[in-house]
Amino acid sequence: MQNTATVGGEQTKVKITDAKHNLNVAALYEDAIRNGEAHIGGSGPIVVSTGQYTGRSPKDKFVVEEESSIDKIWWGNVNKPMSEEKFNALRDRMLQYLEDKELYVQDLYVGADPDYRLSVRICTETAWANLFSRNLFIRPNKEDLAEFEADFTVINVPSFKADPATDGTHSDVFVLLNLGQKLVLIGGTRYAGEIKKSMFTVMNYMLPMRGVMPMHCSANIGPDGDSALFFGLSGTGKTTLSADKTRTLIGDDETGWSDRGVFNFEGGCYAKVIKLSQTAEPDIWSASHRFGTVLENVVMDPETRELDLDSDKLTENTRSAYPIYFIPNASPTGTGGHPKNIMMLTADAFGVMPPIAKLTPEQAMYYFLSGYTAKLAGTERGVTKPEPEFSACFGSPFLPLPPMTYARQLGEKIRQHGSHVWLVNTGWTGGPFGTGKRMSIAYTRAMVNAALNGSLAQMGTKPDPTFGFHVPTSCPGAPDEVLWPRNTWGDKDSYDAAAHDLAQRFQENFKKFADQVTEGVRGAGPKV
C-alpha cells in the first residue's frame, strides 16, 4: 500500500500524501466500519446509506467548455456548460480541502478490450465508495499495477459542497467533467452511481471517434457463440434479463461494439434490488448476499442484520454493487462476437406497448433515437412515481455527443452484421400504472428466450395498427392474450385513447430528428 497518490489531469497533477492506495476488499471493509460509514449484513455484504441523495443528480452535471471538446459536445439540458475559470477555481478549493483529509485510491480500467480500454484513478473520501469502484470497474493484475498510469482521474468528495453563487452550479451538489484536463470532480452527494456513470460518459465521448459504438446495454452470449444486447434505461430489465443460466454474461449495463465484436466496459454489476426475488433472479439475489458486495440504501434489521429487499423505506432505487465474477456464468474475458439479436427494453407506464415486437432496420433506428421508457421512482432526484420519458439512444443523460452520432453507428452495424432487433416491454399490462400490473418476468423471459433461440421468428406476426411493428401471434411459454395489450384491457376504448396519445408523444418527440434521418426512418414510427 502506498501513502501517496497523484491526482488530477495532466495540467493539474497534485500529490495527496495521506492516501490509502489500492486496498483490498477486507481492508476497505475494516476502514468502512472503523470510520462509521457502513454496517455488515448478516450474510456478509456491506450496507450503506447515501443519505439525502439516493439517485443521480442530472441537473447538477456540467461539462467544461474547453478547446479540445467544445465543438463536439451536444450542448443543452444534458450537457450544461461550465467555464474553465469556474471549474479551475472549484478544483483548486477542492484539492486544498483534501490536504488534511485521508483519501482512498483505486487504480482501475474501463473496457475489457485492451485496445480500447481507459485507465482511471478513482479517489474517494470514503472506504465504501472505493470498494464500490473496485467492484464496478476492471481490476488490473499486479504486473499492470506496477506500470499503471491514469488516463483519467475521478475525485469523489461528498463532504465538499459547491457554492452556487460562486461556482455557477445548480446546487451544492456537482458532477463536473473536464475532457481537456481528463478530470471528473464529484461533490455534495454520496450516491456512488455518479462515479460509475461519469466514466461511462467519458467512454461515450472517446470511443465513437475510434469507430467503436458505446452503448447503454447489457450483453450475453449463448452456447453457440451468439451474442445478444439488451438496451434500456435503469429499471427496464438490463441486468435481470442478461443474467441467464443458459447464457454467459458479458456485462450488465455498459458495452462497446467494435469491428471485432462486443466488450464490457465494467468489471462488476450494479443491480436494482427492490423486491428482488430469490426464485426469479437467483444469481443476483445470491450475489447481493455475499461478502464483498456493497448494498446502497437497502433496509436492514439492526439486531438480526437480515436484509429487507422488499422495503422502499429509504428509496425505490435500492442497489447492489458486486464484482461480475459473483455471477456464476460470467465471461472471464468480458467479450463476445457481433450480436445476432438486439433487445430494446422499455417499461411502458401507459400499458399500451406489446411485450415483444419485431422491428425492421428503419424501425430500429426510430425507436433507438426515441428511447421511450418510464422514468422509475428513485432513479433520479425528485422522481416519486413513473413518468413517461423519451431518452435518446436509451441513455441521453450519458451522451456527450449528439444522438445521431450513435444512431448512425447502430444503423451501420445492424446492416453490416444482419442483427435482428426486438422491442420488449417489461412495463405495465392490463392498463396504465396504477390500474394495470407489471408484466410477469416469467413471460418476458419466455419471449426473450424464444427470440434468442430463433423459435419466435418462426411464429406468425401481425402489424400493430398504431405503432406499425410486427407482433407475434403466439410465443412458447407465454399466453397468447398478453401478446396484444389491447386484449388485456377491460375498457378497449380507453386503450385506444391511450395508444393514440402515446403515438402523438412519439411523433412530437421525433420532430427534433426529422431532418437528420432518411424518409424510411421518419416513416417508421407510429401513425396517428
Side-chain angles (χ1 to χ4, degrees), residues 14 20 24 30 46 74 104 110 120 136 149 214-215 219 222 229 241 254 288 394 419 442-443 513:
V14 174
K20 295 189 173 183
N24 61 28
E30 289 174 350
I46 200 165
W74 179 37
Y104 294 88
V110 187
V120 57
L136 264 294
E149 291 186 12
M215 303 172 292
L229 303 179
L241 292 174
E254 302 170 5
S288 300
F394 294 98
S419 306
Y443 293 161
F513 303 119

mmCIF file of all heavy atoms in Angstrom, residues 14 20 24 30 46 74 104 110 120 136 149 214-215 219 222 229 241 254 288 394 419 442-443 513:
data_model
loop_
_atom_site.group_PDB
_atom_site.id
_atom_site.type_symbol
_atom_site.label_atom_id
_atom_site.label_comp_id
_atom_site.label_asym_id
_atom_site.label_seq_id
_atom_site.Cartn_x
_atom_site.Cartn_y
_atom_site.Cartn_z
ATOM 1 N N VAL A 14 -1.417 16.779 -8.616
ATOM 2 C CA VAL A 14 -1.239 17.141 -7.215
ATOM 3 C C VAL A 14 -1.007 15.866 -6.431
ATOM 4 O O VAL A 14 -1.691 14.854 -6.639
ATOM 5 C CB VAL A 14 -2.482 17.882 -6.661
ATOM 6 C CG1 VAL A 14 -2.333 18.126 -5.172
ATOM 7 C CG2 VAL A 14 -2.684 19.193 -7.406
ATOM 8 N N LYS A 20 -4.616 6.072 0.958
ATOM 9 C CA LYS A 20 -4.558 4.614 1.051
ATOM 10 C C LYS A 20 -4.808 4.053 -0.343
ATOM 11 O O LYS A 20 -5.903 4.192 -0.881
ATOM 12 C CB LYS A 20 -5.574 4.101 2.065
ATOM 13 C CG LYS A 20 -5.262 4.557 3.485
ATOM 14 C CD LYS A 20 -6.133 3.861 4.505
ATOM 15 C CE LYS A 20 -5.701 4.197 5.934
ATOM 16 N NZ LYS A 20 -6.503 3.477 6.946
ATOM 17 N N ASN A 24 -7.300 -3.833 -0.537
ATOM 18 C CA ASN A 24 -8.136 -4.958 -0.946
ATOM 19 C C ASN A 24 -9.494 -4.893 -0.254
ATOM 20 O O ASN A 24 -9.768 -3.998 0.552
ATOM 21 C CB ASN A 24 -7.428 -6.295 -0.701
ATOM 22 C CG ASN A 24 -7.108 -6.524 0.773
ATOM 23 O OD1 ASN A 24 -7.796 -6.018 1.657
ATOM 24 N ND2 ASN A 24 -6.062 -7.291 1.037
ATOM 25 N N GLU A 30 -12.793 -3.071 6.706
ATOM 26 C CA GLU A 30 -12.357 -2.672 8.045
ATOM 27 C C GLU A 30 -12.413 -1.156 8.218
ATOM 28 O O GLU A 30 -12.888 -0.641 9.238
ATOM 29 C CB GLU A 30 -10.943 -3.185 8.309
ATOM 30 C CG GLU A 30 -10.873 -4.693 8.490
ATOM 31 C CD GLU A 30 -9.444 -5.197 8.596
ATOM 32 O OE1 GLU A 30 -8.513 -4.398 8.344
ATOM 33 O OE2 GLU A 30 -9.260 -6.377 8.934
ATOM 34 N N ILE A 46 -21.687 -5.373 2.668
ATOM 35 C CA ILE A 46 -21.579 -4.118 3.397
ATOM 36 C C ILE A 46 -22.790 -3.265 3.020
ATOM 37 O O ILE A 46 -23.162 -3.177 1.855
ATOM 38 C CB ILE A 46 -20.246 -3.417 3.069
ATOM 39 C CG1 ILE A 46 -19.892 -2.392 4.139
ATOM 40 C CG2 ILE A 46 -20.240 -2.812 1.697
ATOM 41 C CD1 ILE A 46 -18.444 -1.937 4.063
ATOM 42 N N TRP A 74 -22.665 17.817 -27.324
ATOM 43 C CA TRP A 74 -24.106 18.032 -27.522
ATOM 44 C C TRP A 74 -24.595 18.933 -26.390
ATOM 45 O O TRP A 74 -25.100 18.473 -25.374
ATOM 46 C CB TRP A 74 -24.809 16.668 -27.513
ATOM 47 C CG TRP A 74 -26.293 16.706 -27.673
ATOM 48 C CD1 TRP A 74 -27.032 17.536 -28.450
ATOM 49 C CD2 TRP A 74 -27.234 15.829 -27.036
ATOM 50 N NE1 TRP A 74 -28.370 17.244 -28.337
ATOM 51 C CE2 TRP A 74 -28.523 16.207 -27.476
ATOM 52 C CE3 TRP A 74 -27.115 14.755 -26.133
ATOM 53 C CZ2 TRP A 74 -29.680 15.551 -27.040
ATOM 54 C CZ3 TRP A 74 -28.254 14.107 -25.706
ATOM 55 C CH2 TRP A 74 -29.525 14.497 -26.159
ATOM 56 N N TYR A 104 -8.923 7.554 -0.270
ATOM 57 C CA TYR A 104 -8.789 6.170 -0.734
ATOM 58 C C TYR A 104 -8.664 6.186 -2.255
ATOM 59 O O TYR A 104 -9.426 6.875 -2.940
ATOM 60 C CB TYR A 104 -10.000 5.338 -0.310
ATOM 61 C CG TYR A 104 -10.091 5.166 1.191
ATOM 62 C CD1 TYR A 104 -10.763 6.107 1.971
ATOM 63 C CD2 TYR A 104 -9.477 4.096 1.833
ATOM 64 C CE1 TYR A 104 -10.832 5.971 3.349
ATOM 65 C CE2 TYR A 104 -9.544 3.945 3.211
ATOM 66 C CZ TYR A 104 -10.221 4.895 3.964
ATOM 67 O OH TYR A 104 -10.284 4.748 5.335
ATOM 68 N N VAL A 110 -11.374 0.789 -17.470
ATOM 69 C CA VAL A 110 -12.710 0.809 -18.050
ATOM 70 C C VAL A 110 -12.571 0.252 -19.468
ATOM 71 O O VAL A 110 -11.882 0.844 -20.298
ATOM 72 C CB VAL A 110 -13.304 2.227 -18.102
ATOM 73 C CG1 VAL A 110 -14.753 2.182 -18.555
ATOM 74 C CG2 VAL A 110 -13.186 2.908 -16.739
ATOM 75 N N VAL A 120 -8.134 4.445 -15.201
ATOM 76 C CA VAL A 120 -8.753 5.510 -14.412
ATOM 77 C C VAL A 120 -8.340 5.384 -12.951
ATOM 78 O O VAL A 120 -8.286 4.281 -12.397
ATOM 79 C CB VAL A 120 -10.297 5.473 -14.552
ATOM 80 C CG1 VAL A 120 -10.867 4.134 -14.134
ATOM 81 C CG2 VAL A 120 -10.948 6.590 -13.749
ATOM 82 N N LEU A 136 -17.041 -2.252 -9.388
ATOM 83 C CA LEU A 136 -17.704 -1.910 -10.644
ATOM 84 C C LEU A 136 -16.763 -1.801 -11.831
ATOM 85 O O LEU A 136 -17.159 -2.082 -12.968
ATOM 86 C CB LEU A 136 -18.490 -0.601 -10.490
ATOM 87 C CG LEU A 136 -19.972 -0.736 -10.162
ATOM 88 C CD1 LEU A 136 -20.734 -1.371 -11.317
ATOM 89 C CD2 LEU A 136 -20.199 -1.552 -8.896
ATOM 90 N N GLU A 149 -0.505 4.027 -15.283
ATOM 91 C CA GLU A 149 -0.583 5.475 -15.440
ATOM 92 C C GLU A 149 -2.019 5.818 -15.814
ATOM 93 O O GLU A 149 -2.575 5.249 -16.756
ATOM 94 C CB GLU A 149 0.380 5.970 -16.529
ATOM 95 C CG GLU A 149 1.839 5.836 -16.160
ATOM 96 C CD GLU A 149 2.758 6.470 -17.188
ATOM 97 O OE1 GLU A 149 2.238 7.200 -18.068
ATOM 98 O OE2 GLU A 149 3.966 6.249 -17.114
ATOM 99 N N PRO A 214 -20.320 2.990 -28.288
ATOM 100 C CA PRO A 214 -20.593 2.778 -26.863
ATOM 101 C C PRO A 214 -22.098 2.679 -26.643
ATOM 102 O O PRO A 214 -22.863 3.432 -27.251
ATOM 103 C CB PRO A 214 -20.008 4.021 -26.198
ATOM 104 C CG PRO A 214 -20.141 5.087 -27.248
ATOM 105 C CD PRO A 214 -20.078 4.408 -28.586
ATOM 106 N N MET A 215 -22.527 1.765 -25.784
ATOM 107 C CA MET A 215 -23.962 1.500 -25.655
ATOM 108 C C MET A 215 -24.372 1.350 -24.197
ATOM 109 O O MET A 215 -23.659 0.736 -23.401
ATOM 110 C CB MET A 215 -24.316 0.213 -26.417
ATOM 111 C CG MET A 215 -23.945 0.237 -27.886
ATOM 112 S SD MET A 215 -24.172 -1.365 -28.713
ATOM 113 C CE MET A 215 -22.888 -2.358 -27.938
ATOM 114 N N ALA A 219 -25.161 -7.353 -22.080
ATOM 115 C CA ALA A 219 -24.845 -8.281 -23.163
ATOM 116 C C ALA A 219 -24.578 -9.663 -22.602
ATOM 117 O O ALA A 219 -24.018 -9.811 -21.507
ATOM 118 C CB ALA A 219 -23.631 -7.786 -23.946
ATOM 119 N N GLY A 222 -24.685 -16.941 -26.028
ATOM 120 C CA GLY A 222 -25.235 -18.287 -25.924
ATOM 121 C C GLY A 222 -24.197 -19.367 -26.126
ATOM 122 O O GLY A 222 -23.050 -19.094 -26.502
ATOM 123 N N LEU A 229 -27.676 -8.203 -27.218
ATOM 124 C CA LEU A 229 -27.620 -6.938 -26.494
ATOM 125 C C LEU A 229 -28.995 -6.614 -25.923
ATOM 126 O O LEU A 229 -30.018 -6.931 -26.530
ATOM 127 C CB LEU A 229 -27.191 -5.802 -27.428
ATOM 128 C CG LEU A 229 -25.856 -5.952 -28.159
ATOM 129 C CD1 LEU A 229 -25.613 -4.738 -29.044
ATOM 130 C CD2 LEU A 229 -24.704 -6.138 -27.174
ATOM 131 N N LEU A 241 -32.477 -9.550 -17.275
ATOM 132 C CA LEU A 241 -32.636 -10.384 -18.463
ATOM 133 C C LEU A 241 -31.305 -10.894 -19.004
ATOM 134 O O LEU A 241 -31.261 -11.939 -19.658
ATOM 135 C CB LEU A 241 -33.390 -9.614 -19.542
ATOM 136 C CG LEU A 241 -34.851 -9.316 -19.210
ATOM 137 C CD1 LEU A 241 -35.477 -8.417 -20.267
ATOM 138 C CD2 LEU A 241 -35.653 -10.605 -19.069
ATOM 139 N N GLU A 254 -23.035 -1.526 -19.527
ATOM 140 C CA GLU A 254 -22.281 -0.653 -20.424
ATOM 141 C C GLU A 254 -21.408 -1.508 -21.337
ATOM 142 O O GLU A 254 -20.583 -2.291 -20.868
ATOM 143 C CB GLU A 254 -21.416 0.322 -19.627
ATOM 144 C CG GLU A 254 -22.229 1.202 -18.674
ATOM 145 C CD GLU A 254 -21.347 1.994 -17.720
ATOM 146 O OE1 GLU A 254 -20.105 1.929 -17.872
ATOM 147 O OE2 GLU A 254 -21.886 2.645 -16.810
ATOM 148 N N SER A 288 -25.994 -10.554 -4.071
ATOM 149 C CA SER A 288 -26.322 -9.447 -3.175
ATOM 150 C C SER A 288 -26.231 -9.835 -1.704
ATOM 151 O O SER A 288 -26.354 -8.971 -0.829
ATOM 152 C CB SER A 288 -27.735 -8.927 -3.493
ATOM 153 O OG SER A 288 -27.811 -8.475 -4.822
ATOM 154 N N PHE A 394 -31.593 5.362 -25.592
ATOM 155 C CA PHE A 394 -31.794 4.706 -24.300
ATOM 156 C C PHE A 394 -30.706 5.101 -23.299
ATOM 157 O O PHE A 394 -30.266 4.292 -22.490
ATOM 158 C CB PHE A 394 -31.847 3.180 -24.455
ATOM 159 C CG PHE A 394 -33.042 2.701 -25.226
ATOM 160 C CD1 PHE A 394 -32.934 2.405 -26.571
ATOM 161 C CD2 PHE A 394 -34.278 2.573 -24.623
ATOM 162 C CE1 PHE A 394 -34.040 1.975 -27.304
ATOM 163 C CE2 PHE A 394 -35.388 2.147 -25.340
ATOM 164 C CZ PHE A 394 -35.266 1.846 -26.684
ATOM 165 N N SER A 419 -28.124 -8.097 -37.694
ATOM 166 C CA SER A 419 -28.709 -8.344 -36.363
ATOM 167 C C SER A 419 -30.228 -8.211 -36.405
ATOM 168 O O SER A 419 -30.774 -7.328 -37.079
ATOM 169 C CB SER A 419 -28.141 -7.353 -35.343
ATOM 170 O OG SER A 419 -26.729 -7.381 -35.329
ATOM 171 N N ALA A 442 -41.546 -13.992 -15.807
ATOM 172 C CA ALA A 442 -41.510 -15.327 -16.418
ATOM 173 C C ALA A 442 -41.936 -15.257 -17.875
ATOM 174 O O ALA A 442 -41.338 -15.905 -18.748
ATOM 175 C CB ALA A 442 -42.401 -16.288 -15.642
ATOM 176 N N TYR A 443 -42.970 -14.472 -18.172
ATOM 177 C CA TYR A 443 -43.417 -14.315 -19.555
ATOM 178 C C TYR A 443 -42.359 -13.593 -20.378
ATOM 179 O O TYR A 443 -42.073 -13.959 -21.527
ATOM 180 C CB TYR A 443 -44.726 -13.538 -19.617
ATOM 181 C CG TYR A 443 -45.918 -14.250 -19.013
ATOM 182 C CD1 TYR A 443 -47.061 -13.541 -18.635
ATOM 183 C CD2 TYR A 443 -45.922 -15.634 -18.818
ATOM 184 C CE1 TYR A 443 -48.164 -14.185 -18.087
ATOM 185 C CE2 TYR A 443 -47.021 -16.279 -18.264
ATOM 186 C CZ TYR A 443 -48.137 -15.557 -17.902
ATOM 187 O OH TYR A 443 -49.220 -16.194 -17.361
ATOM 188 N N PHE A 513 -35.470 15.089 -34.708
ATOM 189 C CA PHE A 513 -34.579 14.262 -35.519
ATOM 190 C C PHE A 513 -35.017 14.190 -36.986
ATOM 191 O O PHE A 513 -34.302 13.622 -37.817
ATOM 192 C CB PHE A 513 -34.529 12.833 -34.964
ATOM 193 C CG PHE A 513 -34.097 12.732 -33.540
ATOM 194 C CD1 PHE A 513 -34.947 12.194 -32.578
ATOM 195 C CD2 PHE A 513 -32.844 13.174 -33.149
ATOM 196 C CE1 PHE A 513 -34.550 12.087 -31.261
ATOM 197 C CE2 PHE A 513 -32.432 13.087 -31.823
ATOM 198 C CZ PHE A 513 -33.295 12.544 -30.875
#
